[in-house]
Amino acid sequence: MNAALPVVPSRPTVRVVHPSGGFTPGRRRRLRAGVERLERAGCRVRWDDGISAQAQYRGYLSGSDRQRRQELVAAFTEPGVDVVWAARGGSGAARIARAVTDALDAAPPRLLVGFSDVTTYHAALNQRLGWPSVHGPVVTSLANRDPRQDAVADVDAVLAVLTGDRTALSFEPQPGPAR
């Protein structure tokens, strides 16, 4: 069963989650910059800066399997949240995807945005629960400003898809100043 994307309000409440990779100091700066871009675009952002400030679990995860599962399930069931947006990709999703969908079996669908390792969650939510999701930029990608990078995220374009004003995202490099 594949459900259509629910249309979210023009000023959505976004819960930023850390379901996969951990954070180096550089990635923490990019995460904060991405959150600021969401806020400038009119989103009401909820996130736990403490999670991204913690030392990496096992050197590469944002927390233990239990912590990451709990954070993701809580975000999908938190009242007033329109969109769950992954802070970054990385690895570790395959370790908890089944436990996440088991916990959400009776929950109403909620959108997830992200790519990379987050694709595992997209597949699990869609295949097991029939939930739609958006393969789009992670929050740290929203800090990209250099058109030579692989994906320069256009937060306005993503929000246009979420609000129903646009039907697809392009991952083409955007024009911008050369360095």
Side-chain angles (χ1 to χ4, degrees):
M1 168 175 113
N2 292 325
L5 281 179
V7 176
V8 301
S10 61
R11 293 180 41 87
T13 298
V14 173
R15 167 53 82 184
V16 175
V17 293
H18 309 80
S20 296
F23 288 85
T24 62
R27 283 196 174 114
R28 281 193 284 275
R29 284 189 296 277
R30 293 173 59 76
L31 175 59
R32 287 184 186 96
V35 167
E36 289 169 7
R37 278 198 70 200
L38 284 170
E39 290 172 339
R40 283 193 309 273
C43 297
R44 293 177 295 267
V45 181
R46 299 177 187 173
W47 69 302
D48 184 354
D49 190 30
I51 292 175
S52 63
Q54 294 173 4
Q56 293 188 40
Y57 182 78
R58 293 192 175 172
Y60 67 97
L61 296 173
S62 63
S64 68
D65 291 352
R66 183 173 182 255
Q67 290 167 320
R68 292 179 302 112
R69 179 186 51 79
Q70 286 175 334
E71 183 199 21
L72 198 49
V73 169
F76 279 118
T77 58
E78 182 177 329
V81 169
D82 299 303
V83 178
V84 176
W85 207 312
R88 67 163 293 214
S91 62
R95 297 163 55 129
I96 64 169
R98 179 71 184 236
V100 168
T101 57
D102 286 349
L104 295 173
D105 190 43
R110 186 165 284 164
L111 287 177
L112 172 66
V113 178
F115 74 101
S116 183
D117 191 51
V118 179
T119 304
T120 301
Y121 299 115
H122 291 305
L125 291 168
N126 184 268
Q127 291 174 1
R128 297 211 53 235
L129 303 178
W131 290 17
S133 58
V134 175
H135 186 268
V138 292
V139 177
T140 54
S141 292
L142 299 178
N144 288 354
R145 294 288 190 185
D146 185 343
R148 295 170 295 184
Q149 292 177 332
D150 291 342
V152 177
D154 180 349
V155 70
D156 295 323
V158 177
L159 292 174
V161 169
L162 298 179
T163 61
D165 293 333
R166 191 169 172 175
T167 59
L169 291 175
S170 170
F171 284 93
E172 296 296 319
Q174 303 296 311
R179 292 190 194 202

